Each structure stands twice: as C-alpha cells, then as structure tokens.
Amino acid sequence: MSFTRPNRRNTWLAALSLGAVAALALTGCGGTAAPDSSGGDSSATQVLTFGLSADPAQPITGASQGTAVNQLLTMVHRGLMSFDADGAAVPALAQSVDTPDDTTFVFTLHDGLTFSDDSELTADNVKNSLDYYRDVANGSQLAAPFADIESIESDGGSTVTVKLSQPNTAFLQYLALPFAAIVPDASLNPDTANWVGAGPWEMTNLDQGIGLTMEKNDGYYDAENIALDEIDVKFYADGEARTNALLSGDVDLIDYVTWENFDRVADAGFTVDQVNGPFQYVQFNVEEGPFADPKVRQAVAYALNRDNSVLAAFQSNGEPLYGVSISEKDPAYEKNLANLWEYDPEKAKSLLAEAGYPDGFPATLLATSQYTFLQDNALSVQEDLKAIGIDVTLDAPDWSTRVSKGNEGDYDIAVSGDSGMVTDPSYLINWVTGDNTYNVSWGYSNDEIAGLIGDGLRTTDDAEKHEIYQNIGKIWAEDVPFASLNTRAQAYGFSEDVTGFTNIPGTATFYSGYMLANTSMQ
C-alpha cells in the first residue's frame, strides 16, 4: 500500500489568481483583504479574523488540552499525516507512505523541511517526537494508541521506518491528529510552550486573554499554496458575544456556533456549516466513594433523561445516545451498541439500593461556565440524579480550570463532550486504560475491554471485528466506563468573504482547523 499527497498546486494557483483580482476590486472595502503594506501594486494581504471559543491554555507537547488548543495546533503544526476535507488521513510532512506489510510503515519526508524557527526538520526529529508520544511517562494522550509501536528507525535524513508489534488498522489516523505533530527536540517536555512547528502559520504575538496573531510560515513545505498571510485569532468564550462578533463583521469565522443561534446566523446570510458526531457523557471518579461501585454507575446510566438533555442543551439539534457511538460505516457497527441502557429511574433507584445507598448520597458534578451546552447538560443531569436521591452540587469554573480539575481528578462526577480521537471505534481505548486525563473517568481502567479493542484493531476480518465489539458492548453496559448522554451537531459560522473552508465531517470536526490551509478571503 502506498500513499502520495495529492497535488493541489494548479487548483490553488487558480484560486490565488481569482483572489488577487477580487482584492484589487475590493481595495478599501474592509479588513478581509487589505492592501499590502509593502506598497505593491498587485498583491494583497489575506487576513482572516477567527473568533475562537476559548482562551486556550499554553500548548504543551502531547498533553490533552481541549478543542481550542487543537485549533491552534492545526495552524502551527503538521505531523506525518493530516486529514482532508472528507476526514480521510492523507500524507502531510510525509511526501509518501509505503506499507510493505501489515506492520511496517516507511515515511519519506518532503525535501527541505524546516520548523518555524528556521531550524532543519529531519527524520531524527520525527523519531524523537514519536518516541516521546508513545512514552506513557510523558503524560501523552497518544501513549495508548501508539502502544503497538515496536521500533522507530531514522536514516538521519528523510526516511523513517516504523514497525508495529501487530497490525493496527487505525495507525495512520492517529498520526494525523494535531497533537501528533512533529516538533523540535526542545519542545519535547512539559515546560516548553509548544508553539514552534512546521505548519502553515507561526504564532507571532500573544495577548493573554484577548487573542493572538498567526503569520504565514514561508518555510512551510506547501507555503506556495497557502492563501492566508495572517490569521488574527480573537478569544470569545461567550457564545452570544462570539455570534455577535460574526454578525457585526468583527470576525470572519467562528467555531462552536451555539445551537440557539443556528437559525439566527443562517437567517442573517452567513454560512452555518454543521456536522454530526460529537457526543456528551457523564464520567466518574472511581478511585473512591460511591462511584467506584459499577452498580452506582449503572444507576446513573439508567437515570439520565436523554431527551430532556438534547432539548435543553441543543434545542433538539442532536440525538439521545444510550450507549457507545460507532460510525455506521464501520464493520463494528450494530444498532444495539448505541442502546446499552434505557431511561428507567425506578431501575436506577433499585441499583442504588443494591449498592447500599437506598437513601442516595451527596456528590459534586464538575461542569464549566464557559461552554453553555455542557452547563445545560449538567443541569439536566443534576435534575435526573436528584430524582433518584443523588444530591448533586454543580462546580462550573471556566474551561481552563475545568480541564485542570479534570486532570487532577478533583470531582465526583463530571459532564464532558468528546468525539473520539479517530473514526475507528478503537477511540474508546482512551476511556479504559487508566490514563488520567480531564475527559476520562478518573482512575478507571479495564484490561478486558482494552484487550478486546486491541483484537478489533488487529483483525482485518469484518465479521470478527463485529463480534468483538458486541462483546465490548456487553461489558461496557455492566461496568459503565462512562454513561453516554447524547450526540450533537457541531458548526462553524462564516461570512461570504470566506471561501474554501470546510467543516470536516463526523468525529474529525474538531480538526477542521486543517482546512484553513485551503481557505482564502474574497
């Protein structure tokens, strides 16, 4: 098997030509395509203003830090692979990928790669980055997905050979994740902000709490096909403020269009590019207390009124989810996997009594004040649990604090939203391996499920994979690594000045920042 990156040069030469003509016609008509400060008579500076839904944390290599950080990583970094507009994994820093057998991947890098600090990017950097990501001691969110890596060999120049201990049908998808970027050796630690990369733009200015500036990285291997000279990122944690910024023309594009504003944005003549895929769930601190008992976790799963949560949080722009989310295109899919529990408060009370809590107990539920949909889901969960005797107190800090508390296990239960790292159902591995990150149940691990997920990754027999995930479903229903709530639509909103941007479908929607490389301003 061999992959070669598609050549977009001709397409983008045409797009850039059209952009130049449009810029000449629109000179003086706004900030989206401003005249070149150099005084050139035919070029225009392409500037996109992006309203981002959070004031992100400083990016740390390999750490799990949420959507806002991932958006920025897609701008400043690239890995061996990336995602295309359809969500398929395609070569990026790797010019080609050869797979002579089921467990060997040979990556040949583009010529002359550099990082944004102008230092050379070599095969040794690739090896060192991948070695860092697969070491669980580094707190990397890729340690589990990369556990099959047996060896990484560099020729010191442009070729890296990765050998796996067993087949892994999702390996290239994991390499395409924005937090699997190839970075300088100096960034391979938790104390260095992970801003130096080999992506299309480089961060040149940061106003903490306000925004940051990205300028085109002329050293990017595909720089000639990047139209945007600059991306001004402004932080709008409040959904209404973010929407108003788009409608007033203060920004050109926003992420996380709030569900109550879908119609408002569309009716105003802006594009609402929405896809379905992300899901919400309740996670548990299982190290001690009532939620260490699977029967209590089952009680929560049966107590959740998912219809109410969809209405409250998404104005019905979503669906109830009673089990695990698996793509209908995957051989593992079966309808019953999405229906592991039903809404049955009486059964939930009975399970609590069996666990020794007939009168319930108090608990703290970690949410956030920053993302309204998570707060609304949390309020719905609070009411549902109150109905079975669990007296829940909400803890709703800003997003960065919520992430920190999640990463420290500072909660009893928490409401989260996620989409899985990749489309392969092996994404569920993150919730069962005991890796303590902010969006998985604190202290939870299940070797049996983890082993079955590994079996699913190794097999190329569709029927066998289907059977494996049926077994996973049975265990998941009993042990409840998380209790699912619902799925939701996820949307970007943008003005008619923005062309070429696409919301990547399904679970890859959170990596749509990659599509800024295809974007230009009219």
Side-chain angles (χ1 to χ4, degrees):
M1 182 167 54
S2 177
F3 298 83
T4 301
R5 188 180 187 282
N7 187 349
R8 293 187 289 119
R9 178 180 173 80
N10 292 336
T11 300
W12 275 98
L13 284 174
L16 287 170
S17 297
L18 289 173
V21 170
L24 286 171
L26 293 172
T27 297
C29 293
T32 55
D36 190 335
S37 60
S38 67
D41 58 2
S42 61
S43 62
T45 302
Q46 291 263 323
V47 181
L48 171 78
T49 306
F50 183 0
L52 187 65
S53 57
D55 177 5
Q58 286 277 8
I60 301 301
T61 304
S64 177
Q65 295 176 284
T67 302
V69 171
N70 284 339
Q71 293 274 15
L72 301 179
L73 296 183
T74 62
M75 301 178 204
V76 301
H77 289 290
R78 280 297 181 272
L80 291 172
M81 307 291 289
S82 182
F83 289 114
D84 69 10
D86 295 322
V90 295
L93 296 182
Q95 187 173 38
S96 64
V97 185
D98 293 314
T99 53
D101 57 57
D102 288 342
T103 58
T104 304
F105 296 81
V106 181
F107 300 94
T108 302
L109 304 178
H110 286 276
D111 292 333
L113 291 175
T114 62
F115 293 110
S116 54
D117 63 358
D118 297 328
S119 62
E120 185 181 11
L121 189 162
T122 71
D124 286 343
N125 294 118
V126 175
K127 171 179 166 51
N128 294 338
S129 293
L130 297 185
D131 274 336
Y132 185 85
Y133 292 134
R134 71 186 179 118
D135 187 346
V136 68
N138 293 323
S140 166
Q141 57 189 316
L142 291 165
F146 283 0
D148 287 335
I149 294 177
E150 186 175 76
S151 66
I152 305 170
E153 296 180 2
S154 161
D155 70 351
S158 61
T159 302
V160 178
T161 301
V162 179
K163 289 187 177 295
L164 306 183
S165 58
Q166 53 195 352
N168 183 321
T169 53
F171 182 60
L172 292 179
Q173 289 186 42
Y174 283 108
L175 288 176
L177 300 174
F179 36 87
I182 306 306
V183 300
D185 293 353
S187 297
L188 298 174
N189 64 81
D191 302 318
T192 301
N194 185 24
W195 286 117
V196 179
W201 297 275
E202 57 182 315
M203 199 277 285
T204 57
N205 182 64
L206 171 63
D207 291 329
Q208 198 72 48
I210 298 174
L212 54 80
T213 302
M214 300 279 188
E215 294 186 1
K216 184 176 177 179
N217 175 18
D218 291 330
Y220 177 55
Y221 73 91
D222 200 24
E224 63 182 1
N225 289 320
I226 300 299
L228 297 177
D229 298 290
E230 182 175 313
I231 302 175
D232 288 338
V233 181
K234 297 181 178 181
F235 306 146
Y236 292 94
D238 181 81
E240 283 299 307
R242 191 165 61 253
T243 300
N244 290 336
L246 176 66
L247 299 185
S248 67
D250 287 345
V251 301
D252 305 302
L253 179 149
I254 63 173
D255 67 341
Y256 268 107
V257 180
T258 52
W259 294 267
E260 61 270 24
N261 281 317
F262 275 24
D263 291 342
R264 181 182 171 214
V265 173
D267 291 345
F270 292 79
T271 297
V272 179
D273 190 353
Q274 60 175 298
V275 299
N276 291 310
F279 64 96
Q280 286 59 238
Y281 57 96
V282 176
Q283 65 189 83
F284 309 93
N285 185 332
V286 306
E287 284 204 336
E288 58 183 9
F291 297 107
D293 188 332
K295 286 189 181 296
V296 175
R297 302 198 293 271
Q298 288 178 41
V300 172
Y302 282 104
L304 300 177
N305 187 327
R306 285 135 174 117
D307 288 323
N308 281 352
S309 66
V310 171
L311 178 62
F314 306 119
Q315 291 72 56
S316 299
N317 292 300
E319 298 289 339
L321 178 62
Y322 299 86
V324 292
S325 178
I326 293 178
S327 170
E328 293 186 22
K329 296 179 180 178
D330 195 278
Y333 176 78
E334 183 65 49
K335 188 175 181 180
N336 68 319
L337 293 173
N339 294 281
L340 301 180
W341 314 283
E342 55 190 308
Y343 174 50
D344 191 339
E346 292 306 315
K347 185 170 184 176
K349 291 178 183 176
S350 177
L351 285 164
L352 277 186
E354 288 180 35
Y357 302 100
D359 300 320
F361 55 85
T364 299
L365 190 156
L366 180 61
T368 177
S369 61
Q370 197 155 319
Y371 291 106
T372 305
F373 75 96
L374 287 178
Q375 193 172 45
D376 290 340
N377 271 299
L379 290 170
S380 182
V381 169
Q382 183 184 37
E383 288 300 310
D384 294 339
L385 297 189
K386 181 180 179 181
I388 65 168
I390 301 178
D391 183 14
V392 169
T393 300
L394 289 184
D395 179 13
D398 63 82
W399 181 246
S400 293
T401 305
R402 187 264 178 258
V403 170
S404 296
K405 285 195 165 189
N407 283 331
E408 295 168 359
D410 187 10
Y411 62 91
D412 294 322
I413 54 176
V415 168
S416 288
D418 209 326
S419 63
M421 285 189 187
V422 293
T423 57
D424 189 278
S426 62
Y427 79 83
L428 292 168
I429 193 73
N430 243 26
W431 280 272
V432 299
T433 53
D435 293 336
N436 288 329
T437 60
Y438 75 92
N439 58 352
V440 305
S441 291
W442 182 261
Y444 183 85
S445 66
N446 189 312
D447 292 341
E448 187 175 11
I449 296 178
L452 287 169
I453 290 174
D455 292 342
L457 268 179
R458 283 190 294 275
T459 183
T460 56
D461 185 301
D462 288 353
E464 183 179 7
K465 184 175 184 181
H466 186 275
E467 183 178 355
I468 287 170
Y469 275 88
Q470 286 294 297
N471 290 331
I472 289 173
K474 293 173 185 174
I475 304 169
W476 200 286
E478 293 293 321
D479 215 33
V480 197
F482 62 66
S484 52
L485 271 173
N486 46 53
T487 59
R488 70 176 192 261
Q490 190 77 18
Y492 287 81
F494 47 89
S495 75
E496 61 182 6
D497 292 333
V498 178
T499 62
F501 182 81
T502 303
N503 191 356
I504 300 178
T507 58
T509 178
F510 291 134
Y511 314 133
S512 296
Y514 281 137
M515 295 300 102
L516 292 171
N518 297 348
T519 301
S520 62
M521 302 297 295
Q522 293 191 42

